[in-house]
Amino acid sequence: MTDTAVRTPVTAVTRPDNDRWLTLGFAAPATVVLALLFVLPLALLLVASVAGPAGFSLAEYGRLTTPHYLGVIWNSLRLAVLTTGIAFAIGYPAAFALARARGVVRSALLATLFLPLAASVIVKAFAWTILLRSDGIVNTVLLALGLVDEPIRMIFTETALIVGAVNIFLPFMILPIYAVVAQLDHRLVDAAATLGASPAVAFVRVVVPLTLPGIIAGVALVFSLSVSAYVVPTLLIGERYPTLSTTIAKAFLLARQPAFGAAAGVVLLAITLAAVALSARLGRSGGSR
Amino acid sequence: MSSPDGAPHVVIRSVSKRYGPLTVLDRVDLTVARGELVTLLGPSGCGKTTLLRLVAGLATPEEGAIAIAGRDVTRVPPHRRNVGVVFQSYALFPHLTVAGNVAFGLAVRGRPREEIDRAVARTLSLVRLEHLGSRRVSALSGGQQQRVALARALAVEPEVLLFDEALSALDRNLREDMQVELRRLLREIGATAIFVTHDQDEALTMSDRIAVMNGGRIEQLADPKTLYARPATLFTLGFVGQSTRVRGTVAAAADGVVTVDTPVGRLSAMGHFAAGSPVVVAARPEHLNVVADAAGHDGGDRARNRVDGRVRAVIFQGSRSRIEVEAGGETLLAELPGRGAADLRPGDDARLVWPVAETFVYPDPEARP
């Protein structure tokens, strides 16, 4: 009795201590890399954005509130919201199809999702320009079929931009949702049915809440990817549709206005962080009901 | 306390179910009276779970009809049947609290808030979980989850409760307690229930009647005592309770008693078979008495079977002992209560004696016609 009473606290104290050091040890390399390569540049960016010629200044942020740059912010948000919305509308049912598929069909579907990820986004965006050009494949086919009399203008339109963005970012919507749907216990749907829930009600009350973590992850991923997309708007729509990303690049590379570029970068970062924070919050409240 | 009033409540008529070339249910008939507790007992693959799913509406039969409370529901989807199902792994909604799970059935029926709250409180107290309503279901023990699943099914006041191996996930002691408690509870509220299980003890404890299923058919439908005392088929005998058996050929038949030549000697049993039929003679081990002195005094008693042999093993099992007796190259099993086998040793001569009335005889399934 006495022995146990004396020994127990000792082990109880040393064990977590060892664990903590071990955990810190494992996390250290990643922490150093993140601090040096991520936090430090961002801190410098933040400093640069408020560094005017005569010390601290919010002038660059002021420029961002002019109608032109509010339009740029709006363009970025519009691209992100449309891309995310359409990718979700396509991706959510696709994730269920993927989870239901078996054997060869499932492998083939997974391959069509993963293989594009191996190709560079520039390659994929160029592929879309080839498809959508006036003398591109789509127009050639439409003309040959006699469906149109002259080539339709597709490239450098918002439609092309959204189609391309949805195509390129769709796997990031489908995969997290698929991961959750594949885990879904179908007996829960059976249980809902026997309790009086029609298929539609069971979907809304059981399937959607249980797949919410996947939905939130997919939406957060696609939103933050598309709101900050640079290659896709540059190649598929160009100057006609300036976004925060293209504006930042121009400020740094062409206009030599690093302070303005830094300010736009901070705004873009804030939008992305807000989206991620909001989805994390939704995920928590959705999970704890 | 209420008990079955005899009015047919669930009527299953000549129901067949096939999955591709596989016939899972083959023209099954079963009627469950209002307030009756019926168990579908059988090994995995016998069709018992499929039959339960047909009653729940989670599957549709190719042939036959199912009626619940006088309404033909054969083609009615599950959400319009008003059944309560307790699933094997409980299938509780992980995103809802205990109360949320119990309220689900009433909530999807669009019942008013106060009514739902009252029903949730009532059913939770029925399963003695009234203090856990706000808990997450993942925070509960297996036994508590089982109660939540039951409460959820009870809350909608279903016409029939269906239990699919509902107790099999619990450990042994808890399972036995739950069997007794569940039976008492279902009796109290006058529920009509169908259980599916492969556990014979559960079936014997819980049921008014047991349907023993094998290969998509009901082998025997009877109350537990009859099922145990008079198994209609060799399969039922083997599936419910212990048995000891020996193969043989009918030598003579008269007045409902057959005499069978077996490797252990000539045995008599209650049954109707023509002379020459290949049969299996069987008995419950607890009916076999072991008499150490082979020179018995009951030599002329025609109401008893006798087999002389040698004790091969005595296995002490606490409240009883199992004795294996070898005779004519076969091993027969006897079961003696308490310390009845205290003076038996392996190698002893022994005589097995048991009543002809407790001897069963079945056609030999392995004999060529």
Side-chain angles (χ1 to χ4, degrees), chain B residues 167-189:
Chain B
L167 301 177
S168 62
L170 303 177
D171 62 51
R172 190 187 168 81
N173 285 336
L174 189 56
R175 190 165 66 227
E176 286 173 359
D177 289 348
M178 274 305 287
Q179 286 167 7
V180 175
E181 187 185 330
L182 187 55
R183 183 183 165 88
R184 181 188 54 75
L185 175 64
L186 294 176
R187 274 277 182 263
E188 240 171 55
I189 60 179

PDB file of all heavy atoms in Angstrom, chain B residues 167-189:
ATOM      1  N   LEU B 167     -28.116  -6.960 -28.545  1.00  0.00           N
ATOM      2  CA  LEU B 167     -27.373  -7.112 -27.295  1.00  0.00           C
ATOM      3  C   LEU B 167     -26.005  -7.740 -27.511  1.00  0.00           C
ATOM      4  O   LEU B 167     -25.223  -7.881 -26.573  1.00  0.00           O
ATOM      5  CB  LEU B 167     -28.168  -7.982 -26.314  1.00  0.00           C
ATOM      6  CG  LEU B 167     -29.564  -7.457 -25.945  1.00  0.00           C
ATOM      7  CD1 LEU B 167     -30.267  -8.439 -25.026  1.00  0.00           C
ATOM      8  CD2 LEU B 167     -29.453  -6.103 -25.284  1.00  0.00           C
ATOM      9  N   SER B 168     -25.692  -8.114 -28.743  1.00  0.00           N
ATOM     10  CA  SER B 168     -24.503  -8.943 -28.962  1.00  0.00           C
ATOM     11  C   SER B 168     -23.209  -8.173 -28.719  1.00  0.00           C
ATOM     12  O   SER B 168     -22.169  -8.777 -28.492  1.00  0.00           O
ATOM     13  CB  SER B 168     -24.507  -9.528 -30.374  1.00  0.00           C
ATOM     14  OG  SER B 168     -24.462  -8.490 -31.321  1.00  0.00           O
ATOM     15  N   ALA B 169     -23.266  -6.824 -28.767  1.00  0.00           N
ATOM     16  CA  ALA B 169     -22.029  -6.063 -28.569  1.00  0.00           C
ATOM     17  C   ALA B 169     -21.695  -5.884 -27.083  1.00  0.00           C
ATOM     18  O   ALA B 169     -20.611  -5.438 -26.749  1.00  0.00           O
ATOM     19  CB  ALA B 169     -22.141  -4.706 -29.251  1.00  0.00           C
ATOM     20  N   LEU B 170     -22.628  -6.245 -26.200  1.00  0.00           N
ATOM     21  CA  LEU B 170     -22.387  -6.054 -24.767  1.00  0.00           C
ATOM     22  C   LEU B 170     -21.618  -7.248 -24.200  1.00  0.00           C
ATOM     23  O   LEU B 170     -21.718  -8.355 -24.707  1.00  0.00           O
ATOM     24  CB  LEU B 170     -23.727  -5.927 -24.024  1.00  0.00           C
ATOM     25  CG  LEU B 170     -24.656  -4.816 -24.516  1.00  0.00           C
ATOM     26  CD1 LEU B 170     -25.958  -4.857 -23.731  1.00  0.00           C
ATOM     27  CD2 LEU B 170     -23.986  -3.463 -24.378  1.00  0.00           C
ATOM     28  N   ASP B 171     -20.862  -6.987 -23.115  1.00  0.00           N
ATOM     29  CA  ASP B 171     -20.169  -8.138 -22.533  1.00  0.00           C
ATOM     30  C   ASP B 171     -21.149  -8.994 -21.733  1.00  0.00           C
ATOM     31  O   ASP B 171     -22.258  -8.597 -21.439  1.00  0.00           O
ATOM     32  CB  ASP B 171     -18.946  -7.707 -21.723  1.00  0.00           C
ATOM     33  CG  ASP B 171     -19.312  -6.831 -20.550  1.00  0.00           C
ATOM     34  OD1 ASP B 171     -20.193  -7.234 -19.780  1.00  0.00           O
ATOM     35  OD2 ASP B 171     -18.708  -5.754 -20.413  1.00  0.00           O
ATOM     36  N   ARG B 172     -20.711 -10.206 -21.438  1.00  0.00           N
ATOM     37  CA  ARG B 172     -21.628 -11.257 -21.026  1.00  0.00           C
ATOM     38  C   ARG B 172     -22.549 -10.891 -19.850  1.00  0.00           C
ATOM     39  O   ARG B 172     -23.767 -11.038 -19.937  1.00  0.00           O
ATOM     40  CB  ARG B 172     -20.811 -12.511 -20.686  1.00  0.00           C
ATOM     41  CG  ARG B 172     -21.649 -13.732 -20.481  1.00  0.00           C
ATOM     42  CD  ARG B 172     -20.788 -14.894 -19.984  1.00  0.00           C
ATOM     43  NE  ARG B 172     -21.645 -15.972 -19.525  1.00  0.00           N
ATOM     44  CZ  ARG B 172     -22.206 -16.847 -20.334  1.00  0.00           C
ATOM     45  NH1 ARG B 172     -22.011 -16.783 -21.627  1.00  0.00           N
ATOM     46  NH2 ARG B 172     -22.979 -17.805 -19.855  1.00  0.00           N
ATOM     47  N   ASN B 173     -21.965 -10.383 -18.758  1.00  0.00           N
ATOM     48  CA  ASN B 173     -22.782 -10.087 -17.575  1.00  0.00           C
ATOM     49  C   ASN B 173     -23.824  -9.020 -17.877  1.00  0.00           C
ATOM     50  O   ASN B 173     -24.999  -9.146 -17.535  1.00  0.00           O
ATOM     51  CB  ASN B 173     -21.892  -9.608 -16.431  1.00  0.00           C
ATOM     52  CG  ASN B 173     -21.135 -10.767 -15.805  1.00  0.00           C
ATOM     53  OD1 ASN B 173     -21.585 -11.914 -15.911  1.00  0.00           O
ATOM     54  ND2 ASN B 173     -20.011 -10.473 -15.206  1.00  0.00           N
ATOM     55  N   LEU B 174     -23.372  -7.957 -18.548  1.00  0.00           N
ATOM     56  CA  LEU B 174     -24.257  -6.859 -18.885  1.00  0.00           C
ATOM     57  C   LEU B 174     -25.362  -7.352 -19.805  1.00  0.00           C
ATOM     58  O   LEU B 174     -26.526  -6.959 -19.690  1.00  0.00           O
ATOM     59  CB  LEU B 174     -23.429  -5.754 -19.562  1.00  0.00           C
ATOM     60  CG  LEU B 174     -24.126  -4.437 -19.800  1.00  0.00           C
ATOM     61  CD1 LEU B 174     -24.690  -3.882 -18.507  1.00  0.00           C
ATOM     62  CD2 LEU B 174     -23.149  -3.440 -20.415  1.00  0.00           C
ATOM     63  N   ARG B 175     -24.986  -8.247 -20.726  1.00  0.00           N
ATOM     64  CA  ARG B 175     -25.954  -8.758 -21.692  1.00  0.00           C
ATOM     65  C   ARG B 175     -27.059  -9.519 -20.969  1.00  0.00           C
ATOM     66  O   ARG B 175     -28.238  -9.355 -21.258  1.00  0.00           O
ATOM     67  CB  ARG B 175     -25.235  -9.663 -22.696  1.00  0.00           C
ATOM     68  CG  ARG B 175     -26.086 -10.048 -23.869  1.00  0.00           C
ATOM     69  CD  ARG B 175     -25.240 -10.628 -24.979  1.00  0.00           C
ATOM     70  NE  ARG B 175     -24.641 -11.893 -24.596  1.00  0.00           N
ATOM     71  CZ  ARG B 175     -23.382 -12.205 -24.772  1.00  0.00           C
ATOM     72  NH1 ARG B 175     -22.560 -11.337 -25.322  1.00  0.00           N
ATOM     73  NH2 ARG B 175     -22.911 -13.379 -24.409  1.00  0.00           N
ATOM     74  N   GLU B 176     -26.661 -10.345 -19.984  1.00  0.00           N
ATOM     75  CA  GLU B 176     -27.661 -11.128 -19.267  1.00  0.00           C
ATOM     76  C   GLU B 176     -28.585 -10.218 -18.462  1.00  0.00           C
ATOM     77  O   GLU B 176     -29.796 -10.435 -18.414  1.00  0.00           O
ATOM     78  CB  GLU B 176     -26.970 -12.177 -18.387  1.00  0.00           C
ATOM     79  CG  GLU B 176     -26.415 -13.306 -19.235  1.00  0.00           C
ATOM     80  CD  GLU B 176     -25.572 -14.290 -18.455  1.00  0.00           C
ATOM     81  OE1 GLU B 176     -25.394 -14.096 -17.235  1.00  0.00           O
ATOM     82  OE2 GLU B 176     -25.099 -15.260 -19.071  1.00  0.00           O
ATOM     83  N   ASP B 177     -28.013  -9.176 -17.846  1.00  0.00           N
ATOM     84  CA  ASP B 177     -28.846  -8.223 -17.104  1.00  0.00           C
ATOM     85  C   ASP B 177     -29.818  -7.529 -18.060  1.00  0.00           C
ATOM     86  O   ASP B 177     -31.000  -7.363 -17.756  1.00  0.00           O
ATOM     87  CB  ASP B 177     -27.965  -7.159 -16.429  1.00  0.00           C
ATOM     88  CG  ASP B 177     -27.186  -7.742 -15.265  1.00  0.00           C
ATOM     89  OD1 ASP B 177     -27.515  -8.893 -14.869  1.00  0.00           O
ATOM     90  OD2 ASP B 177     -26.268  -7.073 -14.778  1.00  0.00           O
ATOM     91  N   MET B 178     -29.293  -7.107 -19.220  1.00  0.00           N
ATOM     92  CA  MET B 178     -30.127  -6.383 -20.172  1.00  0.00           C
ATOM     93  C   MET B 178     -31.256  -7.255 -20.708  1.00  0.00           C
ATOM     94  O   MET B 178     -32.355  -6.779 -20.957  1.00  0.00           O
ATOM     95  CB  MET B 178     -29.268  -5.869 -21.349  1.00  0.00           C
ATOM     96  CG  MET B 178     -28.590  -4.532 -21.118  1.00  0.00           C
ATOM     97  SD  MET B 178     -29.708  -3.188 -20.661  1.00  0.00           S
ATOM     98  CE  MET B 178     -30.531  -2.888 -22.231  1.00  0.00           C
ATOM     99  N   GLN B 179     -30.973  -8.565 -20.901  1.00  0.00           N
ATOM    100  CA  GLN B 179     -32.016  -9.471 -21.388  1.00  0.00           C
ATOM    101  C   GLN B 179     -33.221  -9.446 -20.461  1.00  0.00           C
ATOM    102  O   GLN B 179     -34.359  -9.266 -20.895  1.00  0.00           O
ATOM    103  CB  GLN B 179     -31.468 -10.900 -21.494  1.00  0.00           C
ATOM    104  CG  GLN B 179     -30.533 -11.114 -22.675  1.00  0.00           C
ATOM    105  CD  GLN B 179     -29.769 -12.424 -22.571  1.00  0.00           C
ATOM    106  OE1 GLN B 179     -30.032 -13.243 -21.691  1.00  0.00           O
ATOM    107  NE2 GLN B 179     -28.814 -12.611 -23.466  1.00  0.00           N
ATOM    108  N   VAL B 180     -32.926  -9.592 -19.175  1.00  0.00           N
ATOM    109  CA  VAL B 180     -34.011  -9.654 -18.191  1.00  0.00           C
ATOM    110  C   VAL B 180     -34.728  -8.305 -18.111  1.00  0.00           C
ATOM    111  O   VAL B 180     -35.961  -8.227 -18.126  1.00  0.00           O
ATOM    112  CB  VAL B 180     -33.442 -10.059 -16.806  1.00  0.00           C
ATOM    113  CG1 VAL B 180     -34.526 -10.004 -15.749  1.00  0.00           C
ATOM    114  CG2 VAL B 180     -32.817 -11.444 -16.880  1.00  0.00           C
ATOM    115  N   GLU B 181     -33.922  -7.238 -18.074  1.00  0.00           N
ATOM    116  CA  GLU B 181     -34.506  -5.905 -17.943  1.00  0.00           C
ATOM    117  C   GLU B 181     -35.339  -5.536 -19.165  1.00  0.00           C
ATOM    118  O   GLU B 181     -36.436  -4.976 -19.054  1.00  0.00           O
ATOM    119  CB  GLU B 181     -33.383  -4.882 -17.738  1.00  0.00           C
ATOM    120  CG  GLU B 181     -33.908  -3.506 -17.420  1.00  0.00           C
ATOM    121  CD  GLU B 181     -32.790  -2.488 -17.335  1.00  0.00           C
ATOM    122  OE1 GLU B 181     -31.665  -2.872 -16.966  1.00  0.00           O
ATOM    123  OE2 GLU B 181     -33.056  -1.324 -17.652  1.00  0.00           O
ATOM    124  N   LEU B 182     -34.801  -5.871 -20.335  1.00  0.00           N
ATOM    125  CA  LEU B 182     -35.489  -5.532 -21.581  1.00  0.00           C
ATOM    126  C   LEU B 182     -36.817  -6.273 -21.671  1.00  0.00           C
ATOM    127  O   LEU B 182     -37.840  -5.701 -22.052  1.00  0.00           O
ATOM    128  CB  LEU B 182     -34.583  -5.890 -22.760  1.00  0.00           C
ATOM    129  CG  LEU B 182     -35.051  -5.468 -24.145  1.00  0.00           C
ATOM    130  CD1 LEU B 182     -35.326  -3.976 -24.189  1.00  0.00           C
ATOM    131  CD2 LEU B 182     -33.986  -5.836 -25.187  1.00  0.00           C
ATOM    132  N   ARG B 183     -36.804  -7.546 -21.290  1.00  0.00           N
ATOM    133  CA  ARG B 183     -38.030  -8.321 -21.346  1.00  0.00           C
ATOM    134  C   ARG B 183     -39.101  -7.717 -20.408  1.00  0.00           C
ATOM    135  O   ARG B 183     -40.251  -7.557 -20.775  1.00  0.00           O
ATOM    136  CB  ARG B 183     -37.757  -9.776 -20.964  1.00  0.00           C
ATOM    137  CG  ARG B 183     -38.986 -10.647 -21.086  1.00  0.00           C
ATOM    138  CD  ARG B 183     -38.753 -12.080 -20.650  1.00  0.00           C
ATOM    139  NE  ARG B 183     -40.038 -12.735 -20.464  1.00  0.00           N
ATOM    140  CZ  ARG B 183     -40.680 -13.340 -21.447  1.00  0.00           C
ATOM    141  NH1 ARG B 183     -40.176 -13.406 -22.650  1.00  0.00           N
ATOM    142  NH2 ARG B 183     -41.863 -13.890 -21.224  1.00  0.00           N
ATOM    143  N   ARG B 184     -38.644  -7.331 -19.199  1.00  0.00           N
ATOM    144  CA  ARG B 184     -39.572  -6.743 -18.235  1.00  0.00           C
ATOM    145  C   ARG B 184     -40.148  -5.438 -18.796  1.00  0.00           C
ATOM    146  O   ARG B 184     -41.353  -5.199 -18.772  1.00  0.00           O
ATOM    147  CB  ARG B 184     -38.829  -6.476 -16.922  1.00  0.00           C
ATOM    148  CG  ARG B 184     -39.683  -5.894 -15.811  1.00  0.00           C
ATOM    149  CD  ARG B 184     -38.836  -5.470 -14.624  1.00  0.00           C
ATOM    150  NE  ARG B 184     -37.740  -4.562 -14.977  1.00  0.00           N
ATOM    151  CZ  ARG B 184     -37.906  -3.278 -15.274  1.00  0.00           C
ATOM    152  NH1 ARG B 184     -39.109  -2.749 -15.258  1.00  0.00           N
ATOM    153  NH2 ARG B 184     -36.870  -2.531 -15.596  1.00  0.00           N
ATOM    154  N   LEU B 185     -39.269  -4.613 -19.376  1.00  0.00           N
ATOM    155  CA  LEU B 185     -39.685  -3.325 -19.910  1.00  0.00           C
ATOM    156  C   LEU B 185     -40.675  -3.494 -21.063  1.00  0.00           C
ATOM    157  O   LEU B 185     -41.727  -2.837 -21.101  1.00  0.00           O
ATOM    158  CB  LEU B 185     -38.442  -2.555 -20.382  1.00  0.00           C
ATOM    159  CG  LEU B 185     -38.692  -1.232 -21.085  1.00  0.00           C
ATOM    160  CD1 LEU B 185     -39.346  -0.250 -20.132  1.00  0.00           C
ATOM    161  CD2 LEU B 185     -37.388  -0.661 -21.613  1.00  0.00           C
ATOM    162  N   LEU B 186     -40.371  -4.406 -21.976  1.00  0.00           N
ATOM    163  CA  LEU B 186     -41.239  -4.604 -23.139  1.00  0.00           C
ATOM    164  C   LEU B 186     -42.601  -5.134 -22.701  1.00  0.00           C
ATOM    165  O   LEU B 186     -43.635  -4.763 -23.252  1.00  0.00           O
ATOM    166  CB  LEU B 186     -40.581  -5.560 -24.139  1.00  0.00           C
ATOM    167  CG  LEU B 186     -39.307  -5.023 -24.792  1.00  0.00           C
ATOM    168  CD1 LEU B 186     -38.672  -6.076 -25.693  1.00  0.00           C
ATOM    169  CD2 LEU B 186     -39.590  -3.754 -25.577  1.00  0.00           C
ATOM    170  N   ARG B 187     -42.612  -5.989 -21.679  1.00  0.00           N
ATOM    171  CA  ARG B 187     -43.861  -6.501 -21.127  1.00  0.00           C
ATOM    172  C   ARG B 187     -44.686  -5.357 -20.528  1.00  0.00           C
ATOM    173  O   ARG B 187     -45.884  -5.251 -20.759  1.00  0.00           O
ATOM    174  CB  ARG B 187     -43.553  -7.525 -20.029  1.00  0.00           C
ATOM    175  CG  ARG B 187     -43.338  -8.901 -20.553  1.00  0.00           C
ATOM    176  CD  ARG B 187     -44.678  -9.589 -20.767  1.00  0.00           C
ATOM    177  NE  ARG B 187     -44.476 -10.941 -21.229  1.00  0.00           N
ATOM    178  CZ  ARG B 187     -44.512 -11.307 -22.501  1.00  0.00           C
ATOM    179  NH1 ARG B 187     -44.734 -10.422 -23.446  1.00  0.00           N
ATOM    180  NH2 ARG B 187     -44.320 -12.547 -22.839  1.00  0.00           N
ATOM    181  N   GLU B 188     -43.978  -4.518 -19.774  1.00  0.00           N
ATOM    182  CA  GLU B 188     -44.644  -3.410 -19.088  1.00  0.00           C
ATOM    183  C   GLU B 188     -45.388  -2.513 -20.055  1.00  0.00           C
ATOM    184  O   GLU B 188     -46.516  -2.097 -19.805  1.00  0.00           O
ATOM    185  CB  GLU B 188     -43.579  -2.578 -18.354  1.00  0.00           C
ATOM    186  CG  GLU B 188     -43.784  -2.496 -16.857  1.00  0.00           C
ATOM    187  CD  GLU B 188     -42.572  -1.861 -16.207  1.00  0.00           C
ATOM    188  OE1 GLU B 188     -42.196  -0.736 -16.610  1.00  0.00           O
ATOM    189  OE2 GLU B 188     -42.004  -2.504 -15.323  1.00  0.00           O
ATOM    190  N   ILE B 189     -44.724  -2.192 -21.175  1.00  0.00           N
ATOM    191  CA  ILE B 189     -45.357  -1.274 -22.115  1.00  0.00           C
ATOM    192  C   ILE B 189     -46.172  -2.008 -23.167  1.00  0.00           C
ATOM    193  O   ILE B 189     -46.749  -1.394 -24.064  1.00  0.00           O
ATOM    194  CB  ILE B 189     -44.306  -0.361 -22.805  1.00  0.00           C
ATOM    195  CG1 ILE B 189     -43.298  -1.209 -23.579  1.00  0.00           C
ATOM    196  CG2 ILE B 189     -43.592   0.495 -21.784  1.00  0.00           C
ATOM    197  CD1 ILE B 189     -42.257  -0.379 -24.292  1.00  0.00           C
TER     198      ILE B 189
END
